[in-house]
């Protein structure tokens, strides 16, 4: 992509705007497209599992289908998008939280090409998938690194698996990078650090992507620092379930993403996440984001860039170049109606400050009580000293 540098700047501007909107409240509208059909990526909320539906005009694909119990939900979801044929289906690897619902998808939808790695599992779930494949007379296409497939003008490239055999089934995960014009998405399945290392070796220069589907539900076994640095995404999407027994996403990964100022979208907190691309810009919300250097970037200077409700850490960022004195500003936990009034604190341009509760370590201390509701929605709202709402972080 020879215009990639320019594209990166465009996307950067988009992200500045996006971070004001958060990744929530995604509603359907029409992003104007000059370059053909809109590409839609739906990270379907299937709990502790993955299922990603991708559509561009009349063509569509699916990456994983959730657990066994999610099969019908996924099929319904796809049918509700007026799609009855999938040009591609990728079963990233034979674990139940990825291929569990695949038999339902195969039984109920037309499929042109089914891509699955050369890995087997002796579970009933896997056998059910093979039965459905047989019944339908489908052929499995093995992924080959470097293979390219088109989706109505967009294109995806296979980046993993690079090896023949692995100890962990996760490392067999089919990893693809989807490119639509100047926008790009990396889907990693459950690929772990070993597979990431192989991708860094074989295709480092292809890894850079605007959106990263974080590997293995945000587990520390994936998203190694070197890999994350190479992908260098603006947005990270994590598919997991609240209260899952694995503790996904792991706090180390959230920290790793936060440190790089990557916006985090989570199905466990936000439900199904939809991202749209017109080949130049991405849309997460009702407002179209125009990506050019003349964009009127009407953004507040100070934003809540993250609320880690489990760790009780709120991160506030000053996006302007100037220092801002937060004295008298207020941070509100909406559900518990608890408020924190800022003492004199000068936040320098481009810097962040953390407000922590429950005796957690941070820059500003909100006391020993836990503030954030971990089971229900609990938006965070920031007000300036005059009581004007500056930023709302929905969850
Ligand atoms: Zn998984």
């Amino acid at each position: 992509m020879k215009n990639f540098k320019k594209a990166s700047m465009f996307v950067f501007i988009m992200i500045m705007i996006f971070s004001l909107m958060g990744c929530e409240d995604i509603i359907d509208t029409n992003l104007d497209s000059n370059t053909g059909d809109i590409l839609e990526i739906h990270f379907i909320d299937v709990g502790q599992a993955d299922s990603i539906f991708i559509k561009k005009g009349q063509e569509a694909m699916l990456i994983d289908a959730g657990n066994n119990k999610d099969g019908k939900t996924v099929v319904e979801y796809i049918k509700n998008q007026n799609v009855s044929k999938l040009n591609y289906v990728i079963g990233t690897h034979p674990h139940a939280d990825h291929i569990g619902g695949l038999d339902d998808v195969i039984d109920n939808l037309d499929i042109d090409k089914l891509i699955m790695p050369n890995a087997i599992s002796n579970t009933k779930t896997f056998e059910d998938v093979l039965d459905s494949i047989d019944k339908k007379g489908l052929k499995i296409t093995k992924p080959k690194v470097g293979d390219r497939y088109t989706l109505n003008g967009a294109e995806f490239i296979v980046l993993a698996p690079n090896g023949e055999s692995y100890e962990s089934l996760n490392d067999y995960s089919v990893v693809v990078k989807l490119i639509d014009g100047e926008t790009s998405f990396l889907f990693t399945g459950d690929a772990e650090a070993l597979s990431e290392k192989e991708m860094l070796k074989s295709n480092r220069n292809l890894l850079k992507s605007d959106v990263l589907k974080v590997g293995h539900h945000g587990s520390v076994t994936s998203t190694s620092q070197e890999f994350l640095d190479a992908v260098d995404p603006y947005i990270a999407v994590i598919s997991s379930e609240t209260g899952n027994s694995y503790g996904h996403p792991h706090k180390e990964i959230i920290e790793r993403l936060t440190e790089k100022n990557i916006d985090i979208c989570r199905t466990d907190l936000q439900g199904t996440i939809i991202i749209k691309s017109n080949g130049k810009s991405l849309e997460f919300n009702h407002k179209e984001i125009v990506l050019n250097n003349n964009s009127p970037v009407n953004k507040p200077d100070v934003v809540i860039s993250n609320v880690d409700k489990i760790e009780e850490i709120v991160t506030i960022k000053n996006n302007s170049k100037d220092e801002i004195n937060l004295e008298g500003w207020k941070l509100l936990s909406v559900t518990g109606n608890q408020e924190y009034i800022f003492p004199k604190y000068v936040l320098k341009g481009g810097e962040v400050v953390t407000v922590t509760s429950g005796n957690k370590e941070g820059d500003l201390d909100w006391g020993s009580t836990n503030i954030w509701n971990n089971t229900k929605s609990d938006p965070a709202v920031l007000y300036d000293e005059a009581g004007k709402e500056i930023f709302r972080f929905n969850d």
Side-chain angles (χ1 to χ4, degrees):
M1 292 178 75
K2 66 176 196 288
N3 284 327
F4 195 69
K5 246 203 175 125
K6 207 165 104 200
S8 298
M9 187 172 0
F10 286 166
V11 175
F12 175 72
I13 294 166
M14 171 277 292
I15 291 308
M16 296 300 285
I17 303 172
F18 157 64
S19 59
L20 309 179
M21 302 179 166
C23 179
E24 67 293 327
D25 291 334
I26 293 150
I27 55 173
D28 249 8
T29 50
N30 300 312
L31 186 70
D32 284 336
S33 170
N34 306 318
T35 55
D37 292 308
I38 298 292
L39 173 76
E40 297 177 17
I41 321 256
H42 300 237
F43 297 87
I44 306 172
D45 180 12
V46 282
Q48 185 61 24
D50 271 17
S51 185
I52 304 151
F53 171 69
I54 301 167
K55 177 181 160 184
K56 188 171 183 192
Q58 293 304 306
E59 300 196 6
M61 67 188 278
L62 182 74
I63 302 175
D64 291 331
N67 278 298
N68 280 296
K69 65 177 172 56
D70 304 315
K72 288 196 170 54
T73 312
V74 171
V75 169
E76 277 308 297
Y77 191 99
I78 294 171
K79 285 188 171 167
N80 283 338
Q81 303 296 319
N82 289 323
V83 168
S84 56
K85 188 186 98 168
L86 294 163
N87 298 75
Y88 308 95
V89 170
I90 300 176
T92 58
H93 65 295
H95 276 151
D97 57 325
H98 295 257
I99 56 145
L102 209 50
D103 48 353
D104 288 317
V105 170
I106 295 167
D107 293 347
N108 290 289
L109 297 161
D110 290 335
I111 296 168
D112 275 354
K113 197 176 268 295
L114 174 65
I115 300 171
M116 284 170 70
N118 199 11
I120 51 163
S121 168
N122 54 7
T123 58
K124 169 146 192 329
T125 298
F126 188 65
E127 275 165 24
D128 286 348
V129 173
L130 294 182
D131 284 350
S132 288
I133 292 171
D134 269 356
K135 247 194 292 169
K136 195 120 186 185
L138 267 174
K139 203 177 105 231
I140 296 177
T141 301
K142 301 281 178 230
K144 232 178 79 218
V145 170
D147 277 354
R148 288 168 185 257
Y149 298 94
T150 57
L151 186 80
N152 188 15
E155 178 186 50
F156 67 91
I157 310 168
V158 176
L159 297 181
N162 283 271
E164 298 284 303
S165 71
Y166 296 95
E167 215 165 278
S168 164
L169 267 185
N170 288 337
D171 280 325
Y172 286 94
S173 287
V174 180
V175 176
V176 299
K177 178 180 179 177
L178 176 67
I179 300 166
D180 183 43
E182 293 167 359
T183 61
S184 54
F185 307 79
L186 189 64
F187 303 100
T188 55
D190 280 355
E192 299 190 357
L194 172 61
S195 171
E196 292 176 352
K197 216 170 177 178
E198 291 174 342
M199 285 186 265
L200 284 163
K201 210 168 153 201
S202 63
N203 275 306
R204 179 185 286 267
N205 57 348
L206 280 179
L207 291 174
K208 172 80 188 91
S209 301
D210 300 324
V211 179
L212 168 67
K213 199 295 291 185
V214 175
H216 198 192
H217 321 284
S219 163
V220 284
T221 54
S222 305
T223 321
S224 56
Q225 188 69 54
E226 199 188 354
F227 185 73
L228 184 61
D229 288 344
V231 180
D232 199 21
Y234 300 104
I235 296 137
V237 181
I238 299 173
S239 192
S240 67
E241 183 169 43
T242 310
N244 69 79
S245 56
Y246 309 97
H248 294 159
H250 287 143
K251 111 175 184 297
E252 291 88 336
I253 299 303
I254 297 294
E255 281 168 8
R256 209 169 281 170
L257 296 167
T258 307
E259 250 163 47
K260 287 178 70 75
N261 271 326
I262 298 165
D263 283 295
I264 303 168
C265 299
R266 292 171 55 168
T267 60
D268 60 340
L269 300 178
Q270 295 161 309
T272 294
I273 291 173
I274 304 168
I275 301 178
K276 297 181 182 181
S277 163
N278 64 2
K280 281 184 181 303
S281 59
L282 302 180
E283 183 199 75
F284 298 78
N285 207 304
H286 56 284
K287 207 164 162 188
E288 181 183 353
I289 294 152
V290 181
L291 300 183
N292 63 54
N293 291 321
N294 304 319
S295 283
V297 182
N298 179 20
K299 61 185 178 70
D301 289 335
V302 179
V303 300
I304 299 171
S305 57
N306 192 42
V307 179
D308 186 332
K309 290 166 56 173
I310 292 166
E311 287 299 310
E312 298 273 333
I313 302 173
V314 179
T315 308
I316 292 165
K317 185 166 188 214
N318 178 357
N319 279 325
S320 77
K321 288 197 180 75
D322 308 316
E323 335 191 294
I324 292 175
N325 185 358
L326 299 177
E327 187 171 6
W329 285 42
K330 184 171 91 178
L331 178 63
L332 175 74
S333 154
V334 171
T335 302
N337 195 25
Q338 292 138 298
E339 48 181 68
Y340 172 78
I341 308 288
F342 286 79
K344 183 170 186 341
Y345 188 93
V346 176
L347 183 57
K348 290 194 179 130
E351 297 207 341
V352 297
V353 60
T354 54
V355 179
T356 54
S357 31
N359 280 333
K360 295 283 161 44
E361 257 183 50
D363 302 316
L364 294 169
D365 180 22
W366 192 343
S368 56
T369 312
N370 284 346
I371 299 290
W372 303 101
N373 195 312
N374 290 342
T375 50
K376 278 198 294 192
S377 166
D378 188 1
V381 188
L382 185 66
Y383 300 89
D384 69 9
E385 74 285 351
K388 182 175 157 232
E389 180 175 323
I390 298 296
F391 192 85
R392 172 176 287 257
F393 187 100
N394 287 319
D395 63 346

